Amino acid sequence: MKKHYYISLFFVFIGIISNAQPILDYNNNNSISISQNSTGGSFEILTDNLEKVEVFNIHGQVILKTNQNKINIEKQPAGLFFIRISTDGQTITKKIIKE
C-alpha cells in the first residue's frame, strides 16, 4: 500500500509541474527593483512604464494580477513568491520571501 501512495504522489507532483505557469524566466534587468516592507506583507515595484504584475505562489498558482506598482500579499501565508513584471514589452521574474 505504501508503494502505491508514493507513486501517486509522484504523479501528482509531475502534474503540478506540468500545469504550472513558466515563472522561472529570470532576467538580469537592473532597471526593475522591488522595495519590500519590513512587515513582509507589502512591497512596491520600482520601474517606469509598468504594464502588468502577476504574483505566483511556490506551486505556480497566480494569486494576484494587477497593473499597480504597490502590491499587498498580507493575506497569503509566509513563504517564497515569484513576481512576473511586464514593462515596455519586456517580462522578467523576481522572487520575494514573505516572513
Side-chain angles (χ1 to χ4, degrees), residues 5-73:
Y5 178 74
Y6 291 122
I7 290 171
S8 295
L9 282 177
F10 174 76
F11 286 113
V12 167
F13 181 71
I14 295 300
I16 290 170
I17 289 174
S18 66
N19 291 327
Q21 296 283 336
I23 59 175
L24 298 177
D25 53 346
Y26 286 104
N27 188 340
N28 290 329
N29 186 333
N30 293 327
S31 65
I32 298 175
S33 61
I34 296 176
S35 172
Q36 190 169 359
N37 187 332
S38 61
T39 63
S42 62
F43 57 93
E44 185 174 0
I45 298 169
L46 308 172
T47 187
D48 295 328
N49 304 319
L50 182 67
E51 294 173 2
K52 181 172 72 171
V53 177
E54 295 172 292
V55 181
F56 298 85
N57 64 17
I58 193 68
H59 304 291
Q61 299 167 321
V62 178
I63 60 167
L64 179 67
K65 286 184 182 183
T66 185
N67 61 355
Q68 303 295 313
N69 65 338
K70 293 185 180 183
I71 309 295
N72 186 330
I73 57 171

